[in-house]
Amino acid sequence: MSAKIVVVEDEEDLLELLEYNFDKEGFEVIGFLNTKTVSQILEEEEIDLLIMDRNLPGVEGSEFVASLRENGILTPVIYLSAKNRDSDIEEGFLSGGDDYLTKPFNMKELIMRVKALLRRTTKKYNEGKISHRDLLLNKSTRELSVDGQNVEITKLEFDLLYEFILNKNSVLDRDYLLENVWGDGELYQYKTVNVAINRLKEKIDPLKTKEYIQTVRGVGYRLC
């Protein structure tokens, strides 16, 4: 998934860790230790998401986000904060936040929340055409072409392939796919994912020469 993310975090080690993990997921990430120039970059560049600490030097994070909203900057915001009381979380949402994750946190959960929020808020992930190698998906018509030839696939297979292309080169585990493609992981088993992926691979690569979808043993699957 290609998107531009701004991270504001005053702990330098944590900021570097966040930058590393987001870069590994294919995001373009810009890190700041304070908010001094953040407003400027949000106004001048097309930023898809802002990840905001609250305990910052100079200005409290939720106050900064509230000022962004007052100035008409609607960039989606995820708070990543040690402020974990119910009142703190409520304050974060009331100030204009879209999601809130408390420290200490799980990096995988943060990345999944980022991807989910981007799907909800960024049109380029939800409309039009998306491609990978010689695969072309048309979201509006729900059609797939492989090397210029139309290939019939089911709605589930379309959604599955779309999720892979959004996250190309990232390993997606079965829990992630059940939650984000099937919609309710608790109702299905891992075998459901395996069967669906095998059917999809048969349709997009019947001669088994292109190896679009790679199995990462013990982890999940990756679109290559």
Side-chain angles (χ1 to χ4, degrees):
M1 179 183 286
S2 176
K4 187 177 290 188
I5 299 174
V6 166
V7 181
V8 186
E9 168 58 58
D10 68 335
E11 294 183 29
E12 192 166 355
D13 290 344
L14 178 55
L15 179 60
E16 290 178 358
L17 180 64
L18 290 165
E19 289 174 328
Y20 170 78
N21 279 276
F22 285 132
D23 182 70
K24 190 169 64 172
E25 289 293 324
F27 296 110
E28 181 179 348
V29 57
I30 307 169
F32 295 93
L33 293 168
N34 55 60
T35 60
K36 289 181 180 177
T37 58
V38 174
S39 296
Q40 181 179 350
I41 197 170
L42 292 176
E43 291 173 354
E44 295 178 353
E45 298 192 30
E46 187 176 343
I47 303 300
D48 297 292
L49 179 65
L50 174 62
I51 296 178
M52 173 66 61
D53 190 11
R54 293 189 61 184
N55 295 315
L56 294 167
V59 61
E60 201 273 346
S62 66
E63 294 177 3
F64 177 75
V65 171
S67 70
L68 293 179
R69 298 299 187 243
E70 290 174 2
N71 291 319
I73 297 176
L74 302 179
T75 305
V77 173
I78 296 179
Y79 286 110
L80 187 61
S81 176
K83 291 189 174 184
N84 58 8
R85 297 176 303 177
D86 289 346
S87 58
D88 293 326
I89 296 171
E90 181 181 4
E91 185 178 43
F93 280 105
L94 290 175
S95 68
D98 298 275
D99 201 353
Y100 200 112
L101 189 60
T102 59
K103 299 176 182 178
F105 65 97
N106 179 283
M107 185 64 71
K108 182 177 179 180
E109 180 184 357
L110 174 60
I111 289 170
M112 292 177 67
R113 285 173 180 258
V114 165
K115 292 178 178 179
L117 183 55
L118 287 171
R119 280 195 301 273
R120 295 197 301 270
T121 59
T122 309
K123 287 186 177 181
K124 65 184 177 186
Y125 299 134
N126 297 317
E127 298 176 354
K129 297 178 180 179
I130 187 170
S131 63
H132 175 70
R133 292 169 56 182
D134 59 359
L135 302 172
L136 177 64
L137 284 174
N138 188 319
K139 183 71 171 178
S140 58
T141 62
R142 301 191 69 82
E143 293 177 335
L144 164 68
S145 67
V146 181
D147 197 19
Q149 302 296 315
N150 287 338
V151 175
E152 290 190 10
I153 56 176
T154 65
K155 178 183 181 301
L156 174 64
E157 291 163 348
F158 184 99
D159 293 339
L160 184 59
L161 184 56
Y162 193 79
E163 193 68 31
F164 272 118
I165 294 178
L166 285 181
N167 298 278
K168 54 190 173 185
N169 299 319
S170 297
V171 179
L172 304 182
D173 63 29
R174 293 169 181 82
D175 287 325
Y176 176 88
L177 291 170
L178 286 171
E179 180 68 26
N180 290 276
V181 177
W182 276 262
D184 190 345
E186 296 182 358
L187 296 178
Y188 301 95
Q189 299 177 338
Y190 288 167
K191 184 178 179 182
T192 304
V193 178
N194 300 341
V195 170
I197 288 178
N198 287 334
R199 288 177 178 169
L200 177 61
K201 289 166 69 174
E202 286 287 338
K203 291 184 178 182
I204 63 177
D205 185 21
L207 300 179
K208 297 180 173 60
T209 59
K210 298 181 179 180
E211 298 183 349
Y212 297 108
I213 300 175
Q214 177 187 67
T215 301
V216 181
R217 188 175 299 277
V219 182
Y221 297 93
R222 174 172 54 204
L223 185 71
C224 301

